[in-house]
Amino acid sequence: MRETGGDQVEEAVAGCVAALRPAVARNWAEVRAGGLDWSCHETAVHVADDLVAYAANLAGRARDAYVPFELRLDDGTDNSGLLHVVETTGALLAATVRTTARGVRAFHPYPFRSADRAGFAAMGIAEVLLHTHDMATGLGLPYRPSDELADSVLALLFPHVQPGPTPWATLLWATGRGELPGRAPVTGWRWHNNLVIAADRLDLVGIRPAEARDLRLGGDGGFEWAEGGPYEGTRDAAGFLLKAYEGGTHRPEFGVFALVRRADGRAVGGLGFHSAPDEDGRVEVGYDLTESARGQGYATEALRALADWALPRPDVSSLFATIEPANTPSQAVVTRAGFTKVSEDEEGLAFELRAPR
């Protein structure tokens, strides 16, 4: 798949500069940026500060907080100089994204305290697109980024937002900057980087709608797969995730995870939830492995890690899995992970693991 990265960051920044350059002779400090409390000058500085902060966190592998520095302009910097700073900080983020390995994650507070290179690229693009809109609105300038850029931001950072008629209008609505027919106004919002759960030898990497779409269409979802992968079960699960996203019912924390082997960075299978928990807190799980990765304990390890993450949540009372009677290896996996058989019928054997409370 074509991963959101440095090229898209540069495209967003170039669009920002082109949109704002006609107004460089005006006093941006005296013009409010759209619906923000900041002036256009303050907003442009904020964009540059975020771009370089994202680059610094990713390059420096920040773990628990932002790298402790702040951008400050030289005294007397005019608007042309400020746009040059935006261009330069955008180039720094683009270069950092391009030279960072896919599996690297660094600190970002919301919601799971980390993001990967695609997440940092998407956050940078979102800052540029949204705040250019704010500044252009204040300055009375036309601005509309490509739908491809807006769609990439939505599919990476807003997996909880149902797609709308056009990506740009949806992104503006999702961030409290516009209206969509049939949807209530948004007054508070956050973007949503993907969840990663660490196991002993694996990382359970949350699959985002952009990656699910590619997997469902026969691509690799941006992962490097072990021989034989991705298995058909993972592609089917990606299709269910995508259907939930398009229907507005997807809860990212109860989605699908690629099982990425830490030793070589290869995905060896998929695991995840069939849906969010029901009203009783029960949620079904499923999993598969590429044939080359079977028989090594990966499925049990991943299932234990998923259970350790899910069961302490107040909205989860139990996990269950339905397994065909003839699939004895899968029955052994859930048994080793602590599940017990609770029923048996023509659809299969039901195994359950209850929260310890």
Side-chain angles (χ1 to χ4, degrees):
M1 66 175 287
R2 183 185 182 222
E3 184 182 29
T4 297
D7 289 352
Q8 289 74 29
V9 172
E10 290 179 341
E11 178 186 344
V13 170
C16 165
V17 172
L20 299 179
R21 194 175 296 282
V24 292
R26 295 179 59 182
N27 186 347
W28 289 5
E30 294 183 352
V31 179
R32 183 176 173 181
L36 303 181
D37 292 332
W38 297 333
S39 70
C40 289
H41 177 86
E42 291 170 319
T43 304
V45 173
H46 169 80
V47 170
D49 194 32
D50 273 351
L51 291 172
V52 74
Y54 292 158
N57 271 24
L58 189 56
R61 310 298 193 258
R63 285 289 168 261
D64 301 313
Y66 279 97
V67 178
F69 75 96
E70 186 175 2
L71 179 74
R72 186 183 67 81
L73 300 181
D74 288 345
D75 292 340
T77 300
D78 60 12
N79 291 334
S80 292
L82 178 51
L83 288 181
H84 190 200
V85 173
V86 172
E87 287 179 305
T88 302
T89 53
L92 289 172
L93 177 58
T96 304
V97 168
R98 289 190 182 108
T99 55
T100 299
R102 190 190 194 285
V104 170
R105 297 186 74 85
F107 175 80
H108 187 274
Y110 191 81
F112 303 117
R113 299 187 65 79
S114 74
D116 63 4
R117 67 185 187 188
F120 276 104
M123 289 188 290
I125 293 167
E127 293 285 355
V128 172
L129 266 54
L130 294 169
H131 289 317
T132 302
H133 164 81
D134 298 332
M135 291 182 282
T137 298
L139 293 165
L141 299 170
Y143 174 69
R144 183 186 175 95
S146 71
D147 275 346
E148 183 179 1
L149 281 179
D151 182 64
S152 69
V153 170
L154 288 167
L156 286 167
L157 298 180
F158 292 84
H160 51 295
V161 171
Q162 182 180 18
T166 63
W168 180 231
T170 304
L171 182 58
L172 290 176
W173 168 80
T175 57
R177 290 171 166 85
E179 298 180 354
L180 279 185
R183 301 199 195 183
V186 172
T187 57
W189 60 275
R190 291 277 192 177
W191 54 49
H192 201 292
N193 279 294
N194 63 332
L195 172 64
V196 174
I197 301 170
D200 293 335
R201 297 170 294 167
L202 304 169
D203 286 321
L204 283 60
V205 180
I207 295 175
R208 295 164 282 209
E211 296 151 344
R213 184 183 298 145
D214 186 68
L215 283 166
R216 192 67 192 118
L217 292 173
D220 58 16
F223 297 93
E224 185 177 356
W225 289 87
E227 182 181 357
Y231 203 65
E232 192 59 34
T234 299
R235 294 198 187 280
D236 290 342
F240 294 137
L241 185 160
L242 192 60
K243 183 177 180 180
Y245 169 62
E246 292 172 345
T249 61
H250 179 48
R251 286 180 60 184
E253 65 271 36
F254 290 104
V256 182
F257 300 83
L259 308 182
V260 179
R261 188 164 53 198
R262 211 171 290 126
D264 60 4
R266 292 181 179 273
V268 298
L271 174 146
F273 302 96
H274 287 201
S275 65
D278 65 18
E279 60 184 11
D280 296 321
R282 298 178 74 244
V283 57
E284 186 172 6
V285 297
Y287 50 86
D288 66 19
L289 290 177
T290 63
E291 291 189 16
S292 62
R294 294 173 186 172
Q296 301 174 55
Y298 290 134
T300 300
E301 177 183 325
L303 190 54
R304 284 172 177 161
L306 189 71
D308 288 345
W309 177 84
L311 290 176
R313 293 176 58 99
D315 54 350
V316 177
S317 63
S318 66
L319 307 182
F320 72 96
T322 302
I323 303 173
E324 295 177 355
N327 192 348
T328 53
S330 189
Q331 295 171 39
V333 167
V334 295
T335 300
R336 287 194 297 268
F339 288 63
T340 57
K341 188 171 74 171
V342 293
S343 67
E344 180 176 353
D345 56 29
E346 64 275 6
E347 293 185 2
L349 311 179
F351 290 80
E352 186 175 40
L353 179 61
R354 298 191 63 82
R357 55 178 180 267

